[in-house]
Amino acid sequence: MPELPDVESFRRYLNRTALHQTIARVSVTDGRVLNDTTPQALGRRLNGRRFETTRRRGKFLFAQYADDGWLVLHFGMTGSLDYRKTGDDVPKAAKVVLRFDNGRELLYKCPRMFGEVGLTESPDDFARARGLGPDAMDDALTKARFRELLDGRRGTVKSALMNQSILAGVGNIYADETLFQSGVRPDKSIDKIAPSVLDDIHRALRRVLRVATDHKADITDLPRGYVIPNRHKDGRCPKCDAPLKHTEVSGRTTWYCAKCQK
DNA sequence: TTCCATGTTCCGCA
DNA sequence: TTGCGGAACATGGA
């Protein structure tokens, strides 16, 4: 689930739930999700603190608990957050639990273990160290900048969109949607795409991410004309009703309309 | 039972 | 040398 719109939804969720609550206890039920830290270090840093602000860069969520202290959350393919009344029945998927002094707790769930939890002194430094490109929704990602970032690249347009070091936040689902909305085949070579079509892709990308975020990344709630709900066998093009094709691009299942995307 | 999955990293190859 | 594509990773659900 977690691509940019999902992580942005998690960020807003954290903002209206766990923000400003004092952390009373940190428990780690599966240390494999920790990146470059330990359960002890996590507890030592967070106990008695409160998250005061949050940020997001691509698919990473940051929650600030001190001037130079941020919790880093990444959700892999299946991660999520759940803020609830403290209970004994901690679900198996909950790998890290932050208990607050108000009787509530924030569960970091990650059933498939591809996510990570860590600490950083600065989200910008963290992003630099990870080689993340500009956030796909950042105002700084103008169409001129978008052209620049893709200039001279090889490979398919879909793999470029999903490359987090070019731009951060787009994954398999929203790459497909962006290319559907802009009428470009996902397996098209990036160097064969005219600059004006790159502008189309840029426009579609921003609109798709904004609309998905507005709909809380609930793909069952997307407007008509979106291909995402039709990514399945028997799925049809929402524009021309032709059966959708599926193939593999950069190792990911890829759905597209052979009539509408060239 | 087998296959597939919205993530990233690492390695081999061009 | 740079950068792209595929395999690997851990786990649950169809």
Side-chain angles (χ1 to χ4, degrees):
Chain A
M1 180 193 293
E3 297 184 33
L4 186 154
D6 310 273
V7 179
E8 178 61 20
S9 297
F10 296 155
R11 190 182 74 80
R12 295 177 185 182
Y13 177 74
L14 195 158
N15 280 356
R16 63 178 188 267
T17 57
L19 212 61
H20 309 309
Q21 304 301 329
T22 301
I23 299 166
R25 181 181 161 80
V26 178
S27 70
V28 177
T29 47
D30 194 327
R32 288 177 298 172
V33 297
L34 299 185
N35 181 272
D36 211 25
T37 187
T38 62
Q40 294 73 22
L42 212 54
R44 210 162 46 236
R45 296 295 208 96
L46 293 176
N47 277 333
R49 304 284 196 153
R50 304 183 302 177
F51 296 126
E52 299 294 358
T53 59
T54 57
R55 284 183 56 188
R56 184 189 53 71
R57 173 79 169 261
K59 302 170 190 173
F60 286 92
L61 173 57
F62 304 91
Q64 185 170 31
Y65 61 87
D67 283 348
D68 58 351
W70 299 74
L71 181 69
V72 183
L73 300 175
H74 189 280
F75 298 92
M77 291 213 290
T78 54
S80 61
L81 293 178
D82 183 13
Y83 184 79
R84 62 171 205 169
K85 281 186 181 163
T86 295
D88 295 328
D89 58 324
V90 177
K92 192 177 166 198
K95 309 302 183 189
V96 178
V97 180
L98 305 182
R99 187 175 300 170
F100 301 97
D101 68 358
N102 65 351
R104 308 267 167 164
E105 61 192 10
L106 183 68
L107 308 183
Y108 167 81
K109 295 181 179 176
C110 198
R112 234 147 284 183
M113 298 297 300
F114 283 178
E116 68 178 76
V117 175
L119 298 167
T120 186
E121 292 182 6
S122 149
D124 288 332
D125 289 349
F126 180 90
R128 203 169 300 121
R130 290 298 181 99
L132 294 181
D135 185 83
M137 283 303 281
D138 194 312
D139 289 342
L141 187 63
T142 60
K143 66 181 180 182
R145 184 87 186 97
F146 186 72
R147 281 192 196 186
E148 270 175 32
L149 286 165
L150 296 177
D151 186 48
R153 296 273 170 184
R154 299 181 269 127
T156 65
V157 59
K158 177 168 175 175
S159 64
L161 288 178
M162 291 195 303
N163 185 334
Q164 303 300 298
S165 67
I166 299 177
L167 68 162
V170 180
N172 195 30
I173 297 291
Y174 290 103
D176 276 6
E177 188 65 58
T178 295
L179 294 167
F180 176 75
Q181 298 289 337
S182 44
V184 176
R185 282 179 61 111
D187 59 356
K188 183 149 181 161
S189 288
I190 193 81
D191 56 5
K192 296 214 164 47
I193 297 179
S196 67
V197 177
L198 287 182
D199 292 348
D200 295 341
I201 295 171
H202 174 261
R203 195 176 309 115
L205 172 71
R206 309 274 288 188
R207 188 178 58 239
V208 162
L209 295 177
R210 179 173 47 75
V211 168
T213 302
D214 288 347
H215 290 264
K216 299 177 180 166
D218 179 355
I219 61 173
T220 65
D221 191 37
L222 291 175
R224 287 195 43 167
Y226 272 60
V227 76
I228 285 173
N230 306 291
R231 298 174 101 262
H232 57 79
K233 236 176 178 51
D234 308 327
R236 289 178 169 274
C237 174
K239 287 182 184 160
C240 76
D241 203 42
L244 291 177
K245 303 263 187 196
H246 66 105
T247 180
E248 199 166 281
V249 177
S250 277
R252 316 303 301 187
T253 303
T254 298
W255 294 83
Y256 67 100
C257 174
K259 288 176 73 177
C260 295
Q261 292 170 262
K262 301 292 180 191

CSV table of all heavy atoms in Angstrom, one decimal, chain A residues 1 59 77 171 253, chain B residues 5-9:
chain,number,residue,atom,x,y,z
A,1,MET,N,0.8,-1.2,0.0
A,1,MET,CA,0.0,0.0,0.0
A,1,MET,C,0.8,1.3,0.0
A,1,MET,O,0.6,2.2,-0.7
A,1,MET,CB,-0.9,0.0,1.2
A,1,MET,CG,-1.8,1.2,1.4
A,1,MET,SD,-2.6,1.3,3.0
A,1,MET,CE,-3.6,-0.1,3.0
A,59,LYS,N,8.6,8.2,0.5
A,59,LYS,CA,7.9,7.2,1.3
A,59,LYS,C,8.3,7.2,2.7
A,59,LYS,O,7.9,6.3,3.5
A,59,LYS,CB,8.0,5.9,0.6
A,59,LYS,CG,7.5,5.8,-0.8
A,59,LYS,CD,7.9,4.5,-1.5
A,59,LYS,CE,7.6,4.6,-3.0
A,59,LYS,NZ,8.1,3.5,-3.8
A,77,MET,N,6.1,-2.7,1.9
A,77,MET,CA,5.0,-2.9,1.0
A,77,MET,C,3.7,-3.0,1.8
A,77,MET,O,2.6,-2.8,1.2
A,77,MET,CB,5.2,-4.2,0.3
A,77,MET,CG,6.3,-4.1,-0.7
A,77,MET,SD,6.0,-5.1,-2.2
A,77,MET,CE,6.1,-6.8,-1.5
A,171,GLY,N,5.6,4.6,-6.5
A,171,GLY,CA,5.9,3.2,-6.6
A,171,GLY,C,5.1,2.6,-7.7
A,171,GLY,O,4.7,3.3,-8.7
A,253,THR,N,4.8,-6.0,-11.8
A,253,THR,CA,3.6,-6.2,-12.6
A,253,THR,C,3.0,-4.9,-13.1
A,253,THR,O,2.9,-3.9,-12.3
A,253,THR,CB,2.5,-6.9,-11.8
A,253,THR,OG1,3.0,-8.2,-11.4
A,253,THR,CG2,1.2,-7.2,-12.7
B,5,DA,P,2.2,-9.8,-8.9
B,5,DA,OP1,1.4,-9.1,-9.9
B,5,DA,OP2,3.6,-10.2,-9.1
B,5,DA,O5',2.1,-9.0,-7.5
B,5,DA,C5',0.9,-8.7,-6.9
B,5,DA,C4',1.1,-8.1,-5.5
B,5,DA,O4',1.4,-9.2,-4.7
B,5,DA,C3',2.4,-7.2,-5.5
B,5,DA,O3',2.0,-5.9,-5.6
B,5,DA,C2',2.9,-7.5,-4.1
B,5,DA,C1',2.3,-8.8,-3.7
B,5,DA,N9,3.3,-9.9,-3.6
B,5,DA,C8,4.1,-10.3,-4.5
B,5,DA,N7,4.9,-11.3,-4.1
B,5,DA,C5,4.7,-11.4,-2.8
B,5,DA,C6,5.2,-12.3,-1.8
B,5,DA,N6,6.1,-13.2,-2.0
B,5,DA,N1,4.6,-12.2,-0.6
B,5,DA,C2,3.7,-11.2,-0.3
B,5,DA,N3,3.1,-10.4,-1.2
B,5,DA,C4,3.7,-10.6,-2.4
B,6,DT,P,2.5,-5.2,-7.0
B,6,DT,OP1,1.4,-5.2,-7.9
B,6,DT,OP2,3.8,-5.7,-7.3
B,6,DT,O5',2.6,-3.6,-6.5
B,6,DT,C5',3.6,-3.3,-5.6
B,6,DT,C4',3.3,-1.8,-5.2
B,6,DT,O4',1.9,-1.6,-4.8
B,6,DT,C3',4.1,-1.5,-3.9
B,6,DT,O3',4.4,-0.1,-4.0
B,6,DT,C2',3.1,-1.8,-2.8
B,6,DT,C1',1.8,-1.3,-3.5
B,6,DT,N1,0.6,-1.9,-2.9
B,6,DT,C2,-0.3,-1.1,-2.2
B,6,DT,O2,-0.1,0.1,-2.0
B,6,DT,N3,-1.4,-1.8,-1.7
B,6,DT,C4,-1.7,-3.1,-1.9
B,6,DT,O4,-2.7,-3.6,-1.4
B,6,DT,C5,-0.7,-3.9,-2.6
B,6,DT,C7,-1.0,-5.4,-2.8
B,6,DT,C6,0.3,-3.3,-3.1
B,7,DG,P,5.9,0.2,-4.4
B,7,DG,OP1,5.9,1.7,-4.4
B,7,DG,OP2,6.3,-0.6,-5.6
B,7,DG,O5',6.8,-0.3,-3.2
B,7,DG,C5',6.6,0.3,-1.9
B,7,DG,C4',7.8,-0.1,-1.0
B,7,DG,O4',7.7,-1.5,-0.7
B,7,DG,C3',9.2,0.1,-1.7
B,7,DG,O3',9.7,1.4,-1.4
B,7,DG,C2',10.0,-1.0,-1.0
B,7,DG,C1',9.0,-2.0,-0.7
B,7,DG,N9,9.1,-3.1,-1.6
B,7,DG,C8,8.3,-3.4,-2.7
B,7,DG,N7,8.6,-4.5,-3.4
B,7,DG,C5,9.6,-5.0,-2.7
B,7,DG,C6,10.3,-6.2,-2.8
B,7,DG,O6,10.2,-7.1,-3.7
B,7,DG,N1,11.3,-6.4,-1.9
B,7,DG,C2,11.5,-5.5,-0.8
B,7,DG,N2,12.5,-5.9,0.0
B,7,DG,N3,10.9,-4.4,-0.6
B,7,DG,C4,9.9,-4.2,-1.6
B,8,DT,P,11.0,2.0,-2.2
B,8,DT,OP1,11.1,3.4,-1.8
B,8,DT,OP2,10.8,1.6,-3.6
B,8,DT,O5',12.2,1.1,-1.6
B,8,DT,C5',12.6,1.3,-0.3
B,8,DT,C4',13.8,0.4,0.0
B,8,DT,O4',13.5,-1.0,-0.4
B,8,DT,C3',15.1,0.7,-0.7
B,8,DT,O3',16.2,0.7,0.2
B,8,DT,C2',15.3,-0.3,-1.8
B,8,DT,C1',14.5,-1.5,-1.2
B,8,DT,N1,13.9,-2.4,-2.2
B,8,DT,C2,14.3,-3.7,-2.3
B,8,DT,O2,15.2,-4.2,-1.6
B,8,DT,N3,13.7,-4.4,-3.3
B,8,DT,C4,12.8,-4.0,-4.2
B,8,DT,O4,12.4,-4.7,-5.1
B,8,DT,C5,12.4,-2.6,-4.1
B,8,DT,C7,11.4,-2.0,-5.0
B,8,DT,C6,13.0,-1.9,-3.1
B,9,DT,P,17.6,1.1,-0.2
B,9,DT,OP1,18.2,1.9,1.0
B,9,DT,OP2,17.6,1.8,-1.5
B,9,DT,O5',18.4,-0.2,-0.3
B,9,DT,C5',18.3,-1.2,0.7
B,9,DT,C4',19.1,-2.5,0.3
B,9,DT,O4',18.3,-3.2,-0.7
B,9,DT,C3',20.4,-2.2,-0.3
B,9,DT,O3',21.4,-3.1,0.2
B,9,DT,C2',20.2,-2.4,-1.8
B,9,DT,C1',19.1,-3.5,-1.8
B,9,DT,N1,18.3,-3.5,-3.0
B,9,DT,C2,17.9,-4.7,-3.5
B,9,DT,O2,18.4,-5.8,-3.1
B,9,DT,N3,17.1,-4.6,-4.6
B,9,DT,C4,16.5,-3.5,-5.1
B,9,DT,O4,15.8,-3.6,-6.1
B,9,DT,C5,16.9,-2.3,-4.5
B,9,DT,C7,16.3,-1.0,-5.0
B,9,DT,C6,17.7,-2.3,-3.5
